[in-house]
Amino acid sequence: ASACLQYDRLVKLAVCQHSTSVLAVRPLGDNRQRDCAMFATLTHAAAHLWNLQGEELITLQLHAGQDVKYCQSTVSFAPGMYQAPACRHEHMASINKSKGSLLFVAGEGQVAVWCLKHGQVATWDAEQAVLDFSSGAWADRLADARGGRAASMEPCCVYHRSGGILEIDQAGVSASFAVQMQMDGTTADVLGLDVAEFDRFAFVPENPANLLIRPGRERVQ
């Protein structure tokens, strides 16, 4: 039997050390570069982004009273205030599409969404009123984190939804719907999240975040 086994190489597995219990692990695409996130883990304190080598790149947090509004008419994002204490994080889900990834983190009545492209989290460019996927903005945040300075990234939008386990549609090119268990443990809501069907757009959206409906407009199907 041993003669049938052939090894081309030996891969050393990385150890991702956490100080508290890990609630979930989700993939963020095949991003093997050192400065790119390949997967996320969730603790009650935050979502932690890791590279393939097992280095924690940055943390993402929900904050009490956080309010980020998605402007449907201009496909732009406006960040709110983030000085409030961090929420207790409970659930996490991700989708990976050809044009990028979305990471959903839920806790204390909020579901925040971060958009990534090639393992880099988008930042808000207030001057241009767009999500910035440039490597320079991401590199600045990584430098802060590696230097021991506080570094996080604002979500592109926040839905105010209370519930339990969260899962996102994995088909197609966008997050068409989410399924969230209610607190009674026996009821699940199916939430429509896409602002319109993909084939109705005159121009192809640059990333899955451009297809998300504005918070407050999500509908229970």
Side-chain angles (χ1 to χ4, degrees), residues 145-165:
R146 287 167 173 161
R149 298 178 293 275
S152 188
M153 312 286 284
E154 297 81 6
C156 65
C157 63
V158 178
Y159 297 98
H160 295 279
R161 300 290 309 180
S162 297
I165 297 173

Side-chain angles (χ1 to χ4, degrees), residues 105-133:
V105 179
E108 296 191 18
Q110 299 183 85
V111 179
V113 186
W114 283 268
C115 185
L116 299 89
K117 189 173 183 179
H118 304 307
Q120 300 181 2
V121 182
T123 57
W124 168 248
D125 185 337
E127 182 178 349
Q128 300 294 326
V130 295
L131 282 173
D132 183 4
F133 288 96

Side-chain angles (χ1 to χ4, degrees), residues 95-110:
I95 62 170
N96 299 294
K97 308 295 184 178
S98 60
K99 292 184 176 294
S101 302
L102 296 178
L103 182 67
F104 293 73
V105 179
E108 296 191 18
Q110 299 183 85

